[in-house]
Amino acid sequence: MVRGYVPHRMLHIVVNGEERAVAEGTTVAGLLADLGLARQHVAVEANREIVPRAEHDARRLADGDHLEIVTFVGGG
Amino acid sequence: MADTRHDPSSLPGHGGGDGDDTWTLAGRTLRSRLIVGTGKYRDAAQTKACLERSGAEIVTVALRRVDLSAKDNLLSWIDRDRYLLLPNTAGCYTADEAVRTLRLARELGIADLVKLEVIGDPTTLLPDNEQTLLAAKILLDEGFAVLPYVSDDPIVCRKLQEMGCAAVMPLAAPIGSGLGIRNPHNIRFIVEQATVPVIVDAGVGTASDAAVAMELGIDGVLMNTAIARAREPERMAEAMRLAVIAGRQAFLAGRMPMQAHANASSPTVGLIE
């Protein structure tokens, strides 16, 4: 291991029903970027509470968070 | 019939072409009386072509978990300056699910207009009117302009309009069935008592169904499958645009009385001998 390197603790979260591991400190905005999602195209709920877009940069994920990331699709 | 609101001669635009026959929904002035869905199309290009040919100004969308493998997000190609997105709550079976869905939809930057649909049964997809009323109350309190999809039940429609819904949207037949206007009498009852726009939502199968619906004096028609599942969806979108205009114009014109016996159209005097 490189001297001075502190490994990130990994957080285990659930995104749209699937488990994922993300580095501690990851924000909602960071997660969306990692997933390749344009933030203006999605809405996010954490543990059944909406995370407003304005809070995506500040909101850090916590171990065990359940996220729903949704968008619009074709429908009648 | 004792029907003042829908007496054609009292309506603005009476006597004019379809160009000045506008209507108002939740404060928005609309020209098209056709609202279309965006589901069941082959791809984005076909959806776009059908929206275009339908002439619709409002289009419905559903809210779902984002597909991480799909790069073609509806919001990246739909022209939001041209079409007002009307999010639905398709797939919701309780008021809580519907409210949760529309709160998320609001996060996606929609206007206040939402289509509330709470389903009571997966086989018929008929509405759960009790849950719909519960959800409507919550959504209205939160400032949404609620367009509820409901049974063709005049009593439930009256309750929803009294509650403050922006329109009522009785079904004509089950969703996706294409069975046409199954109970025109109930739709008429709903129209006669209406203080908000009446939009027939679900059941239209072909152009004549849309015309029949409009001839009942309703304000608009909402459809998806009738266009998307036609052999040529783009052409059917155009047919529906024309049928809605034709049905509306026929309603405004006022149909001739039906009579049991023939009545010659040509003069009965002056025949050669």
Side-chain angles (χ1 to χ4, degrees):
Chain A
M1 187 181 287
V2 180
R3 240 167 82 88
Y5 174 74
V6 181
H8 283 295
R9 189 166 79 90
M10 297 307 281
L11 306 175
H12 296 278
I13 62 170
V14 177
V15 179
N16 288 354
E18 289 188 10
E19 287 190 25
R20 298 186 87 90
V22 296
E24 188 172 29
T26 301
T27 61
V28 168
L31 176 68
L32 295 180
D34 289 348
L35 295 172
L37 296 170
R39 64 165 84 186
Q40 71 273 21
H41 290 168
V42 296
V44 180
E45 219 184 41
N47 311 318
R48 299 183 72 98
E49 295 281 335
I50 286 172
V51 183
R53 205 169 278 164
E55 295 172 19
H56 285 188
D57 284 318
R59 173 65 176 265
R60 289 179 194 282
L61 299 171
D63 202 40
D65 271 352
H66 275 65
L67 300 185
E68 290 288 341
I69 306 177
V70 299
T71 190
F72 286 138
V73 300
Chain B
M1 276 182 238
D3 178 5
T4 50
R5 194 179 83 91
H6 287 276
D7 172 6
S9 62
S10 71
L11 290 171
H14 174 63
D18 61 273
D20 56 356
D21 177 36
T22 60
W23 63 301
T24 304
L25 180 64
R28 288 169 185 78
T29 302
L30 300 165
R31 292 193 165 277
S32 173
R33 293 173 179 274
L34 178 55
I35 299 173
V36 295
T38 55
K40 299 181 177 171
Y41 289 102
R42 189 178 60 228
D43 52 25
Q46 188 182 57
T47 316
K48 272 194 278 192
C50 289
L51 299 190
E52 165 99 33
R53 287 184 71 174
S54 74
E57 294 165 290
I58 300 178
V59 302
T60 62
V61 291
L63 185 122
R64 290 293 179 269
R65 283 174 166 173
V66 70
D67 178 358
L68 295 174
S69 61
K71 290 290 157 220
D72 193 22
N73 189 290
L74 180 142
L75 289 170
S76 67
W77 57 259
I78 204 157
D79 182 354
R80 296 185 70 174
D81 293 326
R82 178 163 179 188
Y83 303 110
L84 180 69
L85 298 188
L86 178 63
N88 70 25
T89 60
C92 291
Y93 281 79
T94 65
D96 284 347
E97 287 168 19
V99 169
R100 183 183 177 200
T101 298
L102 292 175
R103 285 174 181 158
L104 278 164
R106 187 155 59 181
E107 273 299 299
L108 284 163
I110 54 146
D112 54 351
L113 216 59
V114 293
K115 168 174 164 174
L116 170 64
E117 110 184 62
V118 187
I119 300 303
D121 168 67
T123 307
T124 61
L125 296 181
L126 289 172
D128 183 325
N129 294 317
E130 182 192 22
Q131 291 292 310
T132 303
L133 285 158
L134 281 171
K137 172 80 172 71
I138 297 167
L139 293 167
L140 290 165
D141 286 346
E142 294 185 12
F144 288 97
V146 181
L147 311 184
Y149 158 74
V150 276
S151 304
D152 55 351
D153 177 340
I155 312 307
V156 174
C157 287
R158 194 190 65 216
K159 288 182 181 178
L160 287 162
Q161 75 180 16
E162 284 172 354
M163 202 182 265
C165 288
V168 291
M169 303 206 297
L171 58 83
I175 293 170
S177 70
L179 287 170
I181 316 302
R182 305 313 298 169
N183 194 341
H185 304 289
N186 274 24
I187 302 292
R188 275 300 302 173
F189 286 145
I190 293 164
V191 167
E192 283 167 23
Q193 70 179 11
T195 55
V196 295
V198 178
I199 300 164
V200 159
D201 177 7
V204 165
T206 187
S208 54
D209 297 333
V212 165
M214 292 307 299
E215 285 173 21
L216 295 170
I218 60 169
D219 299 275
V221 181
L222 195 163
M223 66 179 74
N224 191 152
T225 312
I227 298 173
R229 285 285 178 265
R231 195 176 61 239
E232 288 184 53
E234 296 89 342
R235 191 187 295 273
M236 187 59 88
E238 172 97 27
M240 291 301 186
R241 182 181 73 78
L242 295 168
V244 167
I245 292 170
R248 175 65 182 172
Q249 290 297 304
F251 168 71
L252 291 175
R255 60 151 299 139
M256 63 162 279
M258 289 190 200
Q259 44 197 24
H261 300 288
N263 188 343
S265 299
S266 303
T268 51
V269 296
L271 289 161
I272 54 173
E273 287 181 16

